[in-house]
Amino acid sequence: MKNFLRGLRWTWPYRGRMILSLLFALGAAILWSLNLSAIYPVLRVLENGKSWPDQVEEEIDRLQGEYDRESAKLERLRFEQKQTETWPDERLRSNRERELAGALARTDSRLSWLSRRIYLQQWLKSLLTRFMPPGPFAGLATIFGMLLAAVALKGVFEFFQESLVGSVTNRTMHDLRCRYFRNAIHLDVAHFNDQGSHAMLTQFTTDMEMLAAGIKTLYGRVIAEPLRALACIAAASYISWQLTLLFLVLVPAALFILTKVGRMMKRASRRLLERMSNLYRILQETFRGIRVVKAFTAEAYERQRFREASRDYTRRAIQLIKLDALTSPVIELLGVAAVTAALLAGAYLVLEQRTDLFGLKMCDAPLDVATLLQLYALLAAIADPVRKLSSVYTKLQTGAAAADRIFAGIDLRPRVAANGRRDVLPRLAGAVEFRDVCFSYEPGRPTLAHIRLDVRPGETIALVGKNGCGKSTLVGLLPRFYDPDYGSVVIDGYDLRHVHLRSLRRQIGLVTQDTFLFDDTVANNIAYGRRRVSLATVEAAARQAFAHEFIERLPEGYQTRIGESGAKLSGGQRQRLALARAILRDPAVLILDEFTSQCDAESEALIHQALRQFVRNRTTFIVTHRLNTLEIADRIVVLEDGRIEAVGSHAELLGSCELYRQMHESQRHRRVA
């Protein structure tokens, strides 16, 4: 429950609303017990056929008569006590004095109780005389009218209590979601590669909903239901605290059962959330790769995969439902057993007109039928909140399991330090050094090994090599998507580990093979790196990337929404928008990672034309397999198994590097074919 309590601390800013909801819950609980107490006057009126003021007058006369008899008894005891003082036998005198002292104490206590009852009845008589109409039926109608008014007022209190709790819960979830997203978006790229996004999607949706349900239940039912029970306990204790205590004996047994079931619920909830995360993973993969699914006629396979995951989730959900369903009847059985025990004891006192049970005093005066029925109603009303709290506990445990997963995500910290307190980098010239850089995604399997490379400011470097040789990983070290395991990357003499991260990334432009565009307008996608620029500046970047003409032909021009991942555009158009986005960024260092892989010949030619102008006076890294792209490179770096095989110009490498020559011949034959 530690993380669930952490979640509760997020409600502290809204403590004013919580205090108000507590006051409304208290008012509703008091009215709840008063409504149940209305049973007694109704039964007395129906039983005697007399108005309530008349019955109160009779009760005062009865109590006064009993008070007079007890007073006379007290006087006799005192007289007898004085007579006992003259007894010559000291042993008999001492025993009798003890007996008389006990009798005097009991009688005096009885007189005090009768005096309080007479005072309360006289106070009640004055109220009834002032506000209660004469006649039994009119009085009964007035009682029912007051009952309806109390029920309506209780409903108002409950409405405000629920509304305030709901507002606190939703505001808290808003804060938690924003805090979780803030932490998630600053995690390393490697974390998303390792874990995927499906687990985070589950935590943002299902886990947050379960935690919200737990918090709402805690501040709603866990506050309201015990207050209702306590109000009824207070009213029942006024009638007979001994019988009420007899009813409450089974509460520890109920708490023990709830604790056991709650632990099982928490484990089952955690497993259920893991299965939901698996469902999200399958859905995400299937929908994002729908073209591949259809192209390879894998619909049946995906249906089967989803059906198995859904069956597993359903099995876990049913197990959770069974546990939840088990607690309510068990607690209800315990509650009925407790009420039955208390009712049987009370019935014995009524039928036998006794005030004790097995020698234990149960009440000050014999109970009547109306009082016993009122006590039964109050005890049953205590059992109802206890029964409802049984399902509450399971929801709290489910919320605790969700909180564990949510705060596990919030507690994650990026391995790449942001260095927010470092000095902001000035405009970079672009001199890059890879100083004996080693890097691996998994221990023992190096991706880059002892990379040494110096790049001059404004130089264009092409990285070539077979798939998996480490080209994209190498350029990924520049914006610090990863940090090297050994060695360092230096720009203009600054070790990237020790610089202000945001000021570094502001000076790096990136165009990747898998061009990602947002489901937004063309203008907003181009201006993603500089949100506050004018439309004229956006258009200038688009013209420089040779994208302006096709943008103008779109239905709404620069305000056209391009769909999820730019689905309404061709591959070449998406690449030109991505290039325009990088151009608008005006980076000191430009990274082009297989940036023309999705382009046709015309789009590729336009992009090359744009690049020849844009790469001037800025350091550029080009990851490519295409020979025509190498024409704009000053030097070419050949990578093989994470190591630099050779560095030089196109002509130099053809003469000195066998691997490069093989790649060149392969590309040339492919183009001819």
Side-chain angles (χ1 to χ4, degrees):
M1 295 293 286
K2 180 179 70 174
N3 285 319
F4 186 74
L5 295 176
R6 287 179 65 185
L8 294 183
R9 286 199 290 270
W10 283 77
T11 64
W12 180 249
Y14 311 108
R15 54 191 177 277
R17 294 170 182 265
M18 287 308 309
I19 292 172
L20 281 177
S21 72
L22 178 61
L23 293 177
F24 282 121
L26 181 61
I30 293 173
L31 289 171
W32 167 258
S33 65
L34 290 177
N35 292 342
L36 292 172
S37 299
I39 295 174
Y40 181 75
V42 170
L43 290 176
R44 289 297 301 271
V45 170
L46 292 175
E47 180 184 4
N48 299 329
K50 296 180 180 180
S51 66
W52 189 242
D54 293 340
Q55 293 190 53
V56 172
E57 182 66 33
E58 289 182 357
E59 181 67 12
I60 291 174
D61 292 341
R62 185 187 70 80
L63 290 172
Q64 187 63 51
E66 189 172 352
Y67 183 86
D68 293 340
R69 288 192 296 273
E70 291 293 327
S71 296
K73 180 180 177 181
L74 182 65
E75 290 298 324
R76 288 195 303 272
L77 290 172
R78 286 174 176 171
F79 177 77
E80 187 175 350
Q81 188 180 41
K82 289 182 179 180
Q83 294 295 322
T84 305
E85 293 175 355
T86 62
W87 287 10
D89 191 327
E90 182 178 353
R91 181 172 174 274
L92 291 176
R93 185 176 68 249
S94 178
N95 290 337
R96 183 56 180 166
E97 284 178 347
R98 282 197 298 271
E99 293 176 1
L100 290 174
L104 282 168
R106 289 191 295 272
T107 305
D108 190 60
S109 176
R110 179 69 176 169
L111 283 171
S112 298
W113 180 81
L114 288 170
S115 178
R116 290 193 299 271
R117 288 294 301 271
I118 291 171
Y119 173 79
L120 288 174
Q121 292 294 327
Q122 288 175 341
W123 175 75
L124 180 61
K125 177 185 175 183
S126 64
L127 288 179
L128 294 175
T129 304
R130 183 180 304 176
F131 299 109
M132 188 70 71
F137 181 77
L140 199 62
T142 302
I143 292 173
F144 281 117
M146 294 171 63
L147 180 63
L148 287 174
V151 170
L153 184 59
K154 182 176 73 72
V156 171
F157 285 174
E158 290 175 344
F159 168 78
F160 281 110
Q161 194 252 348
E162 288 286 335
S163 299
L164 288 167
V165 168
S167 69
V168 169
T169 301
N170 283 285
R171 290 169 188 269
T172 301
M173 288 302 104
H174 166 74
D175 295 343
L176 262 178
R177 279 192 294 267
C178 291
R179 179 64 182 84
Y180 188 99
F181 187 78
R182 176 186 176 185
N183 188 72
I185 207 168
H186 286 95
L187 291 174
D188 303 325
V189 173
H191 175 82
F192 293 90
N193 294 338
D194 295 340
Q195 303 296 327
S197 58
H198 55 274
M200 287 187 175
L201 289 175
T202 309
Q203 289 161 2
F204 268 110
T205 53
T206 306
D207 292 12
M208 288 288 181
E209 289 176 4
M210 287 187 173
L211 177 57
I215 292 176
K216 186 176 181 180
T217 299
L218 177 65
Y219 287 146
R221 283 192 176 183
V222 175
I223 288 178
E225 299 299 338
L227 284 176
R228 289 172 60 187
L230 287 174
C232 293
I233 288 173
S237 298
Y238 179 76
I239 298 172
S240 173
W241 65 266
Q242 296 91 339
L243 289 174
T244 305
L245 184 62
L246 179 64
F247 166 77
L248 295 176
V249 165
L250 293 178
V251 170
L255 292 177
F256 175 78
I257 293 174
L258 287 177
T259 302
K260 289 292 185 182
V261 174
R263 290 174 182 171
M264 298 170 62
M265 284 286 295
K266 186 174 182 179
R267 290 193 295 269
S269 299
R270 188 181 294 112
R271 291 193 291 266
L272 182 67
L273 292 172
E274 291 170 356
R275 270 51 179 191
M276 175 57 73
S277 178
N278 190 38
L279 276 179
Y280 272 108
R281 178 181 60 82
I282 294 174
L283 288 172
Q284 187 181 32
E285 289 177 349
T286 304
F287 293 155
R288 287 181 67 88
I290 191 65
R291 291 176 180 269
V292 177
V293 172
K294 291 184 176 296
F296 288 86
T297 60
E299 291 92 344
Y301 168 74
E302 293 298 337
R303 287 200 309 270
Q304 179 64 24
R305 194 160 68 111
F306 180 79
R307 187 183 297 111
E308 290 175 359
S310 181
R311 185 184 296 117
D312 189 20
Y313 174 81
T314 303
R315 183 169 58 85
R316 298 290 182 180
I318 292 173
Q319 181 183 4
L320 197 66
I321 289 171
K322 288 179 179 178
L323 286 173
D324 192 15
L326 176 66
T327 55
S328 184
V330 171
I331 298 303
E332 186 173 7
L333 176 62
L334 289 175
V336 171
V339 171
T340 301
L343 186 60
L344 285 175
Y348 172 79
L349 298 178
V350 170
L351 295 175
E352 300 295 330
Q353 285 296 292
R354 299 282 299 272
T355 60
D356 64 279
L357 185 66
F358 303 116
L360 299 175
K361 188 175 182 180
M362 290 288 143
C363 50
D364 294 314
L367 300 176
D368 56 22
V369 175
T371 303
L372 180 63
L373 290 177
Q374 183 187 16
L375 179 65
Y376 171 73
L378 290 170
L379 294 181
I382 296 170
D384 182 62
V386 172
R387 181 184 61 81
K388 289 180 178 178
L389 285 174
S390 63
S391 61
V392 161
Y393 192 73
T394 59
K395 287 184 179 180
L396 292 181
Q397 291 298 329
T398 302
D404 290 343
R405 288 167 51 88
I406 290 170
F407 283 103
I410 290 178
D411 291 339
L412 287 174
R413 292 295 176 264
R415 292 188 292 270
V416 176
N419 299 328
R421 296 184 180 180
R422 297 281 182 171
D423 293 335
V424 175
L425 284 176
R427 175 70 180 185
L428 296 173
V432 179
E433 299 176 63
F434 293 91
R435 298 177 177 175
D436 199 21
V437 169
C438 299
F439 176 81
S440 61
Y441 292 103
E442 299 178 12
R445 300 180 60 185
T447 305
L448 299 174
H450 303 290
I451 299 295
R452 296 182 180 89
L453 179 65
D454 291 342
V455 181
R456 296 182 296 272
E459 189 176 14
T460 299
I461 299 294
L463 301 173
V464 298
K466 298 177 182 178
N467 290 333
C469 68
K471 303 184 298 294
S472 296
T473 301
L474 183 62
V475 295
L477 296 175
L478 292 171
R480 290 191 69 203
F481 292 155
Y482 327 97
D483 278 338
D485 301 329
Y486 179 80
S488 60
V489 182
V490 178
I491 297 183
D492 290 357
Y494 296 100
D495 188 332
L496 298 191
R497 283 195 181 94
H498 305 140
V499 302
H500 186 274
L501 183 60
R502 291 178 64 86
S503 66
L504 168 68
R505 289 178 177 170
R506 287 193 189 103
Q507 302 193 54
I508 296 177
L510 178 65
V511 182
T512 63
Q513 175 182 2
D514 299 322
T515 303
F516 187 86
L517 298 174
F518 295 89
D519 186 8
D520 203 341
T521 64
V522 172
N524 286 343
N525 270 282
I526 295 175
Y528 189 73
R530 295 175 62 189
R531 308 291 295 176
R532 298 177 182 176
V533 298
S534 65
L535 183 59
T537 306
V538 171
E539 289 183 7
R543 290 179 188 275
Q544 196 171 348
F546 294 96
H548 179 73
E549 290 185 6
F550 85 78
I551 293 173
E552 286 292 300
R553 292 195 297 269
L554 295 174
E556 298 179 44
Y558 282 85
Q559 302 307 317
T560 303
R561 297 188 72 92
I562 59 177
E564 184 179 357
S565 299
K568 297 180 181 179
L569 304 178
S570 68
Q573 289 172 337
R574 290 197 294 269
Q575 289 286 13
R576 277 182 275 171
L577 282 189
L579 181 59
R581 182 166 62 190
I583 289 173
L584 186 62
R585 184 77 160 175
D586 188 24
V589 178
L590 178 64
I591 300 172
L592 305 172
D593 189 355
E594 296 288 359
F595 63 104
T596 59
S597 60
Q598 300 179 22
C599 295
D600 54 25
E602 180 183 358
S603 296
E604 187 175 4
L606 291 173
I607 289 175
H608 284 173
Q609 186 177 346
L611 284 176
R612 285 189 180 93
Q613 300 296 324
F614 184 63
V615 299
R616 291 177 181 174
N617 300 320
R618 70 185 78 241
T619 304
T620 305
F621 291 85
I622 303 174
V623 177
T624 184
H625 287 95
R626 303 199 178 193
L627 293 177
N628 56 349
T629 305
L630 301 178
E631 297 172 0
I632 62 175
D634 298 315
R635 284 191 296 164
I636 301 170
V637 177
V638 182
L639 290 171
E640 174 71 7
D641 294 332
R643 298 177 182 273
I644 294 180
E645 186 73 16
V647 180
S649 65
H650 175 65
E652 291 171 346
L653 292 175
L654 281 177
S656 63
C657 182
E658 178 64 25
L659 177 61
Y660 182 76
R661 191 161 48 248
Q662 292 175 0
M663 294 172 56
H664 178 266
E665 290 297 323
S666 176
Q667 284 284 329
R668 191 165 61 85
H669 290 321
R670 196 176 300 141
R671 291 182 66 183
V672 171

